Amino acid sequence: MDGAQPPSGQLNNSFNTLMVSGDEQSQQPQDAGNETSFTNWKDLPMELLLRIISLVGDDRIVIVASGVCTGWRDTLGWGVANLSLSWCQDHMNDLVMSLAHKFTKLQVLSLRQIRAQLEDSGVEAVANNCHDLRELDLSRSFRLSDLSLYALAHGCPHLTRLNISGCSNFSDSALVFLSSQCKNLKCLNLCGCVRAASDRALQAIACNCGQLQSLNLGWCDSITDKGVTSLASGCPELRAVDLCGCVLITDESVVALANGCPHLRSLGLYYCQNITDRAMYSLAANSRVRSQGRGWDAAVKSGGSSKDRERDGLASLNISQCTALTPPAVQAVCDSFPALHTCPERHSLIISGCLSLTSVHCACALHPHRAGRVILSNHAY
């Protein structure tokens, strides 16, 4: 279910409809030669109920419907795989604890909060009941402790996506244990987890989570090259790495990622002021596009489409506030990856705060007619 919210009047009407009394009689539609009748709302076929709920498009309706009767509760508990409670402004923990045992087939659950409400008891209820969970968003859950991570490690071993950004109370010991149990993780957001995201934790992730494709380590300022180089060797499938604000890392981290992660598409280095030209030249040297001899001009001559030219290598690079970089090194990276753009229409090489890099330009600046064709082709689709 998505998080769309109908107008309050429509929502109230939906609530009233779904909370109809158990003995209320419904209309009996007749069809030529066929007669279908429902004695009351509780007699709705399971598939029809799930279809109606999905069309309403509001997860609050799912919760109300699950309380109409045991039949509806069981049907929704069996049929609902995606649920978001991020709309809940008050008493989210109580709501989670009351619902976890009903929705045991959940695969995707969002508990993102505007202000911290969720407590360990709520996460433990999820872990004890929702063993098929694949994706979980706990971002901004400031009240959670290590108990939550240990519970998830025991109860939800099939997790592939976990967002615990802003959960500053977690320790690296709990994260190490989680990685040992949830070995299918492909996307992990640790932004702001300053205690959990340590070099020790990254080494454990590298050892246990070889399928990892996306990792956000933004503002985890205790991380050093030791942790990042471990990731680069243990997680070769990484496609997106955010190291923004990781002020201790140096060129060694970028060199390791360039050498060990051939599918890397997005790299965030904002405010990593120890990064120098060596890191940029390493990225350029490991460009899959360059290694295949398929720069911009070569790809055009061979008849490759714009998508062919840009499907490999870096498509997003943030080097804002990396003030030690020089134009030739950054230009080498830009030339090596056709998907990196400085032009306003397709801005993917972020260099704000680096006044010395204003001369860096993408191929669009040299070949504006090509840029126009690319933009037009994108709009055509």
Side-chain angles (χ1 to χ4, degrees), residues 57-180:
D58 192 299
D59 288 332
R60 291 171 289 184
I61 298 297
V62 176
I63 295 169
V64 173
S66 69
V68 170
C69 63
T70 57
W72 281 30
R73 180 197 66 195
D74 294 343
T75 294
L76 293 171
W78 173 84
V80 174
N82 295 10
L83 189 65
S84 173
L85 302 181
S86 298
W87 47 266
C88 183
Q89 301 296 317
D90 295 292
H91 309 296
M92 177 185 281
N93 198 67
D94 293 336
L95 182 61
V96 171
M97 293 184 66
S98 68
L99 295 176
H101 70 281
K102 296 181 181 180
F103 297 95
T104 58
K105 299 299 181 182
L106 284 179
Q107 295 189 12
V108 180
L109 178 60
S110 176
L111 300 175
R112 183 180 181 87
Q113 300 147 81
I114 296 177
R115 61 182 181 82
Q117 306 174 59
L118 198 62
E119 299 175 3
D120 290 326
S121 56
V123 177
E124 289 173 336
V126 171
N128 290 336
N129 292 279
C130 306
H131 303 303
D132 292 332
L133 205 60
R134 299 309 198 262
E135 302 181 17
L136 179 61
D137 187 347
L138 295 175
S139 51
R140 298 178 59 83
S141 297
F142 305 129
R143 295 184 179 180
L144 298 184
S145 74
D146 285 351
L147 292 176
S148 290
L149 288 191
Y150 285 120
L152 290 173
H154 287 296
C156 303
H158 304 298
L159 282 172
T160 60
R161 300 175 66 91
L162 179 62
N163 185 346
I164 53 174
S165 59
C167 298
S168 53
N169 290 329
F170 293 150
S171 71
D172 62 347
S173 296
L175 185 56
V176 167
F177 184 73
L178 179 83
S179 72
S180 70

Side-chain angles (χ1 to χ4, degrees), residues 241 264-268 313-318 339-340 347-350:
V241 179
L264 195 63
R265 295 283 285 165
S266 176
L267 180 60
L314 281 175
S316 176
L317 177 62
N318 187 344
L340 289 179
H347 200 195
S348 57
L349 176 59
I350 315 299

Side-chain angles (χ1 to χ4, degrees), residues 41 67 69 72 106 134 158 229 268 274 304 354 356 358:
W41 279 93
C69 63
W72 281 30
L106 284 179
R134 299 309 198 262
H158 304 298
T229 54
N274 293 323
C354 301
S356 64
T358 54

Side-chain angles (χ1 to χ4, degrees), residues 342-356:
T342 57
C343 52
E345 297 87 354
R346 314 174 71 196
H347 200 195
S348 57
L349 176 59
I350 315 299
I351 56 177
S352 58
C354 301
L355 298 179
S356 64

Side-chain angles (χ1 to χ4, degrees), residues 145-376:
S145 74
D146 285 351
L147 292 176
S148 290
L149 288 191
Y150 285 120
L152 290 173
H154 287 296
C156 303
H158 304 298
L159 282 172
T160 60
R161 300 175 66 91
L162 179 62
N163 185 346
I164 53 174
S165 59
C167 298
S168 53
N169 290 329
F170 293 150
S171 71
D172 62 347
S173 296
L175 185 56
V176 167
F177 184 73
L178 179 83
S179 72
S180 70
Q181 303 300 307
C182 301
K183 297 187 177 183
N184 296 322
L185 281 171
K186 292 185 177 181
C187 182
L188 182 59
N189 191 335
L190 301 175
C191 181
C193 297
V194 292
R195 293 182 59 227
S198 65
D199 287 340
R200 173 174 170 247
L202 295 189
Q203 288 174 321
I205 291 171
C207 181
N208 296 312
C209 306
Q211 301 179 56
L212 197 65
Q213 297 182 6
S214 175
L215 180 61
N216 189 333
L217 296 169
W219 305 104
C220 298
D221 52 12
S222 66
I223 290 171
T224 71
D225 293 333
K226 183 178 180 181
V228 179
T229 54
S230 296
L231 281 173
S233 61
C235 303
E237 297 300 317
L238 277 171
R239 287 157 169 75
V241 179
D242 193 339
L243 297 170
C244 294
C246 297
V247 295
L248 298 181
I249 67 167
T250 71
D251 294 337
E252 295 300 325
S253 291
V254 180
V255 171
L257 290 170
N259 291 332
C261 304
H263 308 296
L264 195 63
R265 295 283 285 165
S266 176
L267 180 60
L269 297 172
Y270 172 78
Y271 212 76
C272 297
Q273 296 187 329
N274 293 323
I275 300 299
T276 71
D277 288 352
R278 179 182 171 227
M280 298 298 101
Y281 285 122
S282 177
L283 288 171
N286 283 277
S287 164
R288 296 179 69 192
V289 175
R290 172 171 289 183
S291 67
Q292 296 170 4
R294 293 182 60 82
W296 180 286
D297 292 319
V300 171
K301 291 177 181 178
S302 65
S305 68
S306 61
K307 290 184 178 179
D308 291 335
R309 294 196 299 271
E310 302 190 5
R311 66 185 177 185
D312 296 325
L314 281 175
S316 176
L317 177 62
N318 187 344
I319 50 175
S320 296
Q321 301 296 333
C322 295
T323 53
L325 298 177
T326 66
V330 177
Q331 187 65 60
V333 174
C334 194
D335 293 342
S336 299
F337 298 101
L340 289 179
H341 292 271
T342 57
C343 52
E345 297 87 354
R346 314 174 71 196
H347 200 195
S348 57
L349 176 59
I350 315 299
I351 56 177
S352 58
C354 301
L355 298 179
S356 64
L357 301 181
T358 54
S359 63
V360 175
H361 51 74
C362 61
C364 296
L366 293 176
H367 307 285
H369 60 289
R370 293 177 185 169
R373 285 207 300 267
V374 170
I375 295 169
L376 287 175

